[in-house]
Amino acid sequence: MSKLDTYFYQQSSETVLELMGSEQTRGLTSPEAEKRRKRFGFNELPRGNAFSPLKLFFSQFKDILIIILIIAATVSLGVSFLEKEGSITESLLIYLIVIAIAVVGFLNEYKAERTVEALRKLMSHSCRVRRDGSEFEIPVSELVPGDIVLLDEGKKIPADMRLLLANRLQVNEASLTGESVPVSKHTEPIANSHALGDQRNMLFSGTLVTTGNAEAVVVGTGTNTEIGKIAKLVNDVEQEDTPMQKKLNDLGKKLGLIIMGICVAVFVIIFFLDKESLTFELTHRLIFAFTAAVALAVAAIPEGLAFVVRISLALGARRMAAKKALVRKLSAVESLGSTDVVCSDKTGTLTRGEMTVRHIFVGNILYNLSGNGYGITGELYRDNKKVAASDDVRQLLEIGVLCNNARLKDGQILGDPTEGSLIVSAAKVNLHHDSLRRENPRIHEIPFNSERKMMSTLHRRNKDLLVAVKGAPDVMLERCSKILINGKVHSLAADDREMITKTMNLMAGQALRVLGFAYKTIAQKPADEKELENDLIFVGLQGMMDPPRSEVKAVIERVQTEAGMRVVMITGDNIETAKAVAREIGIQGEAMTGAELIKLSEEELREKVEHIGVYARVNPEDKIKIVRALQHHGHQVAMTGDGVNDAPAIKAADIGIAMGITGTDASKEAADMILLDDQFVTIIKAIEEGRGIYDNVRKFVNFLLSCNIAEVITVLFGILLHGNLVLTAAQLLFINIVTDGLPAIALGSDPASKNVMKHKPRHYQQAILTKRLWVEIVVFGILMSAALLLQYTLELQAQGVTMAVSSVFIGMVVYEFVRLVDIRTDYKIRWWSNPWLTVSIIASMLIQIVIIYTPPLAAIFNVTPIGPESWLTIAIGAIALFIIMKLLNPLFDLIGPENQEKTQFERGIT
């Protein structure tokens, strides 16, 4: 038996049987089948790593901010052991925060994984084979190379096979090749090497028999099938971090370095240089230096940041789910916001995945037929005016229904989609297939095949017999001698032929699949059935296609004009069809075939990729190349699709999006997000949500870091000026997590601003904190620290250390809320659009007040109630801070946005 990479489609069926060591009439023997099963394994694909809740939970601890928190908790724990009466409360609090962050991320992603499991459609579990000269039903997993498989209509093909016998066989290969129309199959060898969609004597695992029956010999199972190769491509694709992950990791690394530098500097200053601390004994000095360093570390680390990010993304994921977008990975929520290229499959994504008749040509008149898909509502138009169906039109549509093996049931087509579109076109003018077929019972059929390119049926109509014929228009014209015009039969003149050919070419130029229709009436069935298809009366043409989804054109226009994004079509369908659909929905750019793409080097593709809007007849490997070439130019790429052939590129893209209804299991498992309604418009809703979430993340990162930098400066200069901790690590930790954390979480619920879709993608591809924001943060930190240190000094001189610390404990929270209001007012969002923000500020303030005015709590935090004078000082400081920041805004504007550093989009990725 030959190796499985032999080009079986180039061999005759007899040669293939010989190569596979099998016989068509007897099949394999049972011992031989078992031997081959042991050699080639079971006919199934590896599922990859099984879903593990425990592994998912521990994966939440990979975040750099989480790691920094764990280090901070461990250092705090170490210091507590150095002190004789040390408390481990601070370290336990941080550990609890870390666990809470992990739980939030775990629960959201676990729920999404469960949903994906529920979406998986059950595969065919058995098939009919011939072994030992008899027919058996066996599990699909036990198929082996050389098995003879028997297939009929509606069966899913269980392995890659070479056809031995084909009777009116048509197969839907859309999930594998992207071809929207079922392809006719035959058994003859094909001389040259062809793409999968052109291998008409082969059957591929996972595709579906729509019409006819067949016998075939298995030539590939499991990972040796075309689907198996795609599965390997998916597994080989290394998935990179999303833009949000990269930005947060980068921010975390920078913070880590800064924190380490500050802590080491403070430790050295206190332990070796501070005059006051040098008077302490060595152990006391060591503990004080460590305590100060840990306090600064706690002040510098935004403990609530990772928690708030997870909460915000989880809230965003919930809002997306309400809009029919299931997020499998939390980081994907934000990543959509920075997307600037959407690579979309055509069939089932941009189009409906349903064949629909668009044009009818009868009596030398061209009509339009409105209505998409398999709904039976629609209107007939001529020159943009609605008209009633003439007798000629009804005759054409009747032939389409009678010469037809499909059925329409409950809005679904049973059978060939092309034939189904003919039934629907007739139903739109109230010609229903059930009644027509009852009134004109079929008594004979000459089936369609690829050689004849036509199909004929014979019906009993009153006392006569009606011959109904459909097929390729050029073939039909050869068989016709007459034409029906205005209810009268005329000789088919040269002018008529020219008009029909011209109209056929016009339709084909619009990527329509065109069929011709003819008939004749006879008294009795002739002895030679070939006579049925001669001397026919030509009636007209029907042109059908898989139409674009109704909402897609407007969505793409909005995406390209307002949001500054590109939409690129990548399909396995033929180039003319792809170009026609692209024109109709407004996709711009040149078109390229897979055959042209494969000739390009990596560098050549990178040069051309910016100018191409349509790729046709491409293989899965080509799709990955296109995605990588776009990423090379710094683009954030989203890849949408529903087929098995889309899965590798979906995984390779920055954001992979699969269709929940029509999508294959492979595409869903590779995706970051699943569209539960299969609507392209849902992607735009998700992008809008993603941009809003990006703004929210930027707002609360800005807020939290403003707070932390102010805390660091205050604690550092408090040590240097007063030789004492202005706030303890426990007090700082409480402020960072509770009183700062609640408003920060509420910021995550902020609605997107009205103009969020009018920003260009590069606005969302910048670092989370730009130069302008860093300057704002540092300036506010200095001003706030100055106010707090002045307040501390005045209270220290007047009422002692405890009152001074208490005043700073309250003042720091109030001033941080000033920064929050300052940040949010810059986004021009109505304040009451997010009531939770007001509730969180009031709640946080009340918590602070309860602590200082409740003796047991005040004792825990080493604070005491403050008087009216202190509150007045804090109020004056808050008003002054807000006014100064607003007055400085024009100076901040000089730094950005125009003068901001180049984004990743502008620099490109090398």
Side-chain angles (χ1 to χ4, degrees):
M1 187 171 59
S2 71
K3 293 182 179 179
L4 292 179
D5 59 359
T6 301
Y7 293 135
F8 293 106
Y9 63 86
Q10 294 179 335
Q11 312 293 331
S12 68
S13 55
E14 293 79 11
T15 302
V16 173
L17 281 170
E18 185 179 343
L19 290 169
M20 301 307 297
S22 185
E23 296 180 37
Q24 183 174 354
T25 55
R26 294 192 55 79
L28 298 175
T29 63
S30 295
E32 178 63 21
E34 179 61 22
K35 180 180 175 182
R36 294 188 184 191
R37 191 193 60 75
K38 289 178 180 177
R39 177 183 173 187
F40 294 105
F42 286 104
N43 178 35
E44 54 192 16
L45 299 178
R47 285 181 60 89
N49 297 327
F51 171 65
S52 166
L54 192 63
K55 187 176 179 180
L56 179 64
F57 178 74
F58 283 110
S59 72
Q60 308 299 318
F61 295 93
K62 294 179 181 178
D63 193 299
I64 187 69
L65 293 174
I66 301 289
I67 295 170
I68 291 176
L69 287 181
I70 293 172
I71 292 171
T74 306
V75 170
S76 178
L77 189 64
V79 170
S80 67
F81 286 129
L82 284 174
E83 294 180 306
K84 294 179 181 178
E85 298 179 0
S87 171
I88 62 172
T89 303
E90 292 170 5
S91 54
L92 288 179
L93 273 173
I94 299 175
Y95 283 132
L96 285 172
I97 291 297
V98 169
I99 293 171
I101 293 168
V103 167
V104 169
F106 166 79
L107 289 177
N108 195 79
E109 293 185 19
Y110 178 80
K111 182 179 179 182
E113 284 297 333
R114 293 296 96 196
T115 306
V116 172
E117 288 288 336
L119 284 171
R120 290 195 177 109
K121 293 183 175 72
L122 293 174
M123 292 181 63
S124 173
H125 289 293
S126 64
C127 62
R128 197 155 49 102
V129 301
R130 186 175 293 135
R131 287 182 182 173
D132 300 315
S134 301
E135 293 179 9
F136 297 93
E137 197 82 18
I138 67 168
V140 164
S141 60
E142 293 184 8
L143 273 181
V144 297
D147 263 327
I148 305 299
V149 179
L150 288 73
L151 296 162
D152 50 32
E153 189 172 306
K155 292 291 185 181
K156 184 175 282 189
I157 294 167
D160 282 5
M161 296 182 275
R162 171 64 163 87
L163 276 166
L164 304 175
L165 183 151
N167 179 27
R168 296 190 304 107
L169 185 67
Q170 290 191 312
V171 178
N172 186 333
E173 297 180 337
S175 66
L176 185 65
T177 66
E179 177 71 61
S180 54
V181 179
V183 294
S184 297
K185 295 289 185 175
H186 59 78
T187 60
E188 297 305 312
I190 300 170
N192 300 316
S193 178
H194 288 280
L196 294 180
D198 297 322
Q199 295 177 22
R200 298 302 177 94
N201 56 12
M202 296 291 296
L203 301 177
F204 301 107
S205 178
T207 58
L208 185 72
V209 176
T210 59
T211 305
N213 52 67
E215 292 185 10
V217 59
V218 175
V219 296
T221 58
T223 54
N224 290 317
T225 61
E226 291 300 328
I227 280 185
K229 293 174 187 176
I230 291 174
K232 186 177 186 302
L233 274 177
V234 172
N235 292 332
D236 288 346
V237 172
E238 293 185 10
Q239 206 158 17
E240 297 183 355
D241 287 341
T242 65
M244 171 66 86
Q245 289 170 324
K246 291 175 183 175
K247 291 167 189 172
L248 287 178
N249 287 341
D250 182 58
L251 181 63
K253 289 172 184 175
K254 288 177 181 176
L255 285 175
L257 290 173
I258 293 170
I259 291 163
M260 287 174 62
I262 291 173
C263 291
V264 169
V266 168
F267 181 86
V268 169
I269 289 170
I270 293 176
F271 191 76
F272 294 105
L273 303 177
D274 186 65
K275 292 180 181 179
E276 187 175 342
S277 64
L278 286 172
T279 61
F280 300 153
E281 63 179 29
L282 182 63
T283 303
H284 187 189
R285 195 160 83 244
L286 185 65
I287 290 173
F288 180 65
F290 261 122
T291 303
V294 168
L296 272 171
V298 170
I301 296 172
E303 289 88 354
L305 180 56
F307 184 72
V308 172
V309 168
R310 292 295 176 90
I311 288 287
S312 178
L313 295 181
L315 290 172
R318 179 184 292 181
R319 290 195 294 271
M320 284 188 180
K323 296 175 180 177
K324 304 297 183 182
L326 173 71
V327 175
R328 293 188 64 209
K329 298 172 186 175
L330 281 180
S331 53
V333 175
E334 175 274 341
S335 299
L336 273 167
S338 58
T339 297
D340 64 326
V341 178
V342 179
C343 293
S344 178
D345 181 41
K346 178 183 71 67
T347 306
T349 307
L350 296 173
T351 64
R352 297 179 60 89
E354 303 169 345
M355 293 299 288
T356 302
V357 173
R358 304 291 291 272
H359 293 292
I360 293 172
F361 178 72
V362 185
N364 291 338
I365 298 173
L366 186 63
Y367 297 90
N368 297 334
L369 190 61
S370 69
N372 283 332
Y374 295 148
I376 61 172
T377 57
E379 303 287 350
L380 196 64
Y381 289 85
R382 176 186 175 188
D383 297 328
N384 296 322
K385 295 180 181 178
K386 187 166 68 172
V387 296
S390 66
D391 289 340
D392 289 5
V393 169
R394 297 177 72 84
Q395 178 74 10
L396 171 71
L397 299 177
E398 280 186 18
I399 295 169
V401 170
L402 295 175
C403 187
N404 195 317
N405 288 315
R407 289 185 296 122
L408 180 64
K409 184 178 181 181
D410 299 327
Q412 297 294 319
I413 288 297
L414 304 179
D416 178 75
T418 299
E419 292 195 324
S421 70
L422 301 177
I423 291 176
V424 172
S425 67
K428 289 175 180 177
V429 296
N430 294 317
L431 291 174
H432 299 289
H433 70 291
D434 288 335
S435 57
L436 278 174
R437 289 172 180 175
R438 280 196 305 269
E439 294 165 6
N440 302 274
R442 182 185 299 184
I443 59 175
H444 185 66
E445 174 186 341
I446 306 176
F448 175 91
N449 64 48
S450 55
E451 288 78 26
R452 297 175 57 253
K453 296 184 179 179
M454 59 191 301
M455 170 185 175
S456 301
T457 53
L458 186 62
H459 303 265
R460 195 176 302 284
R461 174 174 281 185
N462 299 325
K463 297 179 180 180
D464 297 321
L465 298 177
L466 172 70
V467 181
V469 187
K470 75 170 187 286
D474 53 340
V475 175
M476 297 296 293
L477 284 176
E478 292 175 3
R479 302 295 184 109
C480 292
S481 59
K482 302 179 184 67
I483 185 170
L484 179 69
I485 300 178
N486 294 328
K488 296 180 180 180
V489 177
H490 304 273
S491 295
L492 186 59
D495 289 347
D496 296 322
R497 292 180 185 274
E498 184 179 346
M499 175 63 77
I500 294 167
T501 302
K502 183 179 178 180
T503 305
M504 176 186 71
N505 292 334
L506 177 67
M507 288 186 181
Q510 297 175 7
L512 298 180
R513 185 182 188 189
V514 186
L515 290 177
F517 297 83
Y519 79 102
K520 71 177 179 181
T521 302
I522 58 177
Q524 61 182 14
K525 181 181 176 183
D528 185 356
E529 70 174 15
K530 291 181 181 179
E531 289 299 317
L532 289 174
E533 298 176 334
N534 291 326
D535 196 27
L536 298 171
I537 302 168
F538 187 85
V539 180
L541 305 171
Q542 292 196 59
M544 66 283 297
M545 70 179 299
D546 177 11
R549 292 179 179 272
S550 56
E551 76 282 357
V552 164
K553 184 176 181 179
V555 169
I556 289 178
E557 183 179 2
R558 184 185 175 201
V559 164
Q560 294 184 153
T561 56
E562 292 186 11
M565 299 164 62
R566 282 179 63 203
V567 178
V568 177
M569 180 193 296
I570 305 179
T571 179
D573 214 336
N574 73 74
I575 192 164
E576 293 305 323
T577 301
K579 285 162 65 176
V581 172
R583 280 195 302 270
E584 187 167 342
I585 62 180
I587 290 179
Q588 302 166 355
E590 302 170 13
M592 176 182 285
T593 65
E596 293 169 331
L597 187 149
I598 204 168
K599 296 175 183 176
L600 299 179
S601 66
E602 190 174 305
E603 287 299 322
E604 288 172 329
L605 178 58
R606 288 175 179 175
E607 288 178 13
K608 291 180 177 290
V609 74
E610 294 279 48
H611 310 291
I612 299 172
V614 176
Y615 296 88
R617 280 289 191 226
V618 291
N619 292 324
E621 300 93 332
D622 301 328
K623 294 186 179 185
I624 295 177
K625 289 178 184 176
I626 295 164
V627 169
R628 294 297 190 210
L630 287 165
Q631 289 171 331
H632 172 80
H633 288 283
H635 294 298
Q636 302 290 339
V637 182
M639 174 71 192
T640 75
D642 61 353
V644 174
N645 59 334
D646 297 318
I650 283 174
K651 187 174 180 183
D654 297 292
I655 284 292
I657 305 169
M659 302 293 144
I661 299 173
T662 59
T664 57
D665 295 342
S667 64
K668 291 172 190 172
E669 289 171 5
D672 301 300
M673 189 175 81
I674 298 171
L675 304 184
L676 299 179
D677 59 359
D678 283 13
Q679 296 290 316
F680 188 79
V681 69
T682 304
I683 299 172
I684 306 309
K685 293 178 183 176
I687 288 173
E688 187 171 1
E689 190 68 49
R691 289 186 171 191
I693 289 167
Y694 180 92
D695 282 340
N696 290 346
V697 169
R698 178 175 274 183
K699 276 184 273 188
F700 61 64
V701 168
N702 184 350
F703 167 62
L704 291 175
L705 288 185
S706 294
C707 301
N708 285 102
I709 285 182
E711 290 169 6
V712 168
I713 296 172
T714 302
V715 172
L716 178 59
F717 280 89
I719 293 170
L720 296 177
L721 294 175
H722 299 287
N724 198 7
L725 289 174
V726 175
L727 290 175
T728 66
Q731 291 167 341
L732 288 167
L733 190 64
F734 183 82
I735 290 172
N736 287 350
I737 292 172
V738 180
T739 53
D740 289 352
L742 291 177
I745 290 171
L747 271 178
S749 299
D750 256 3
S753 63
K754 291 182 179 178
N755 63 345
V756 72
M757 288 302 288
K758 294 183 180 179
H759 290 302
K760 301 304 178 187
R762 72 190 193 94
H763 177 79
Y764 299 95
Q765 293 171 350
Q766 301 175 96
I768 291 175
L769 297 179
T770 60
K771 282 183 179 179
R772 174 195 167 129
L773 291 182
W774 274 116
V775 171
E776 277 193 50
I777 288 169
V778 172
V779 169
F780 182 82
I782 293 170
L783 292 173
M784 176 174 159
S785 299
L788 287 170
L789 288 170
L790 177 61
Q791 188 174 322
Y792 181 85
T793 302
L794 294 174
E795 295 284 359
L796 183 66
Q797 293 171 352
Q799 302 187 61
V801 174
T802 305
M803 183 61 73
V805 169
S806 302
S807 180
V808 171
F809 185 60
I810 291 292
M812 182 165 283
V813 173
V814 172
Y815 296 158
E816 288 174 353
F817 290 163
V818 169
R819 177 58 177 157
L820 186 148
V821 174
D822 176 41
I823 291 168
R824 194 168 185 274
T825 51
D826 287 340
Y827 280 83
K828 306 294 187 296
I829 300 174
R830 288 186 306 106
W831 182 265
W832 296 108
S833 63
N834 183 4
W836 290 111
L837 186 59
T838 303
V839 171
S840 67
I841 291 174
I842 294 172
S844 296
M845 200 66 240
L846 287 174
I847 290 170
Q848 289 289 107
I849 292 170
V850 167
I851 286 174
I852 64 168
Y853 289 104
T854 305
L857 294 176
I860 293 173
F861 285 92
N862 296 316
V863 291
T864 191
I866 61 173
E869 300 86 355
S870 298
W871 280 109
L872 181 62
T873 304
I874 292 169
I876 293 170
I879 294 169
L881 276 175
F882 185 79
I883 292 172
I884 292 170
M885 288 302 293
K886 289 305 177 187
L887 290 174
L888 289 174
N889 261 344
L891 294 177
F892 297 143
D893 287 338
L894 296 176
I895 302 169
E898 291 83 2
N899 299 327
Q900 286 174 357
E901 59 188 325
K902 288 185 177 181
T903 64
Q904 177 178 320
F905 172 77
E906 296 166 315
R907 291 193 305 266
I909 301 174
T910 56

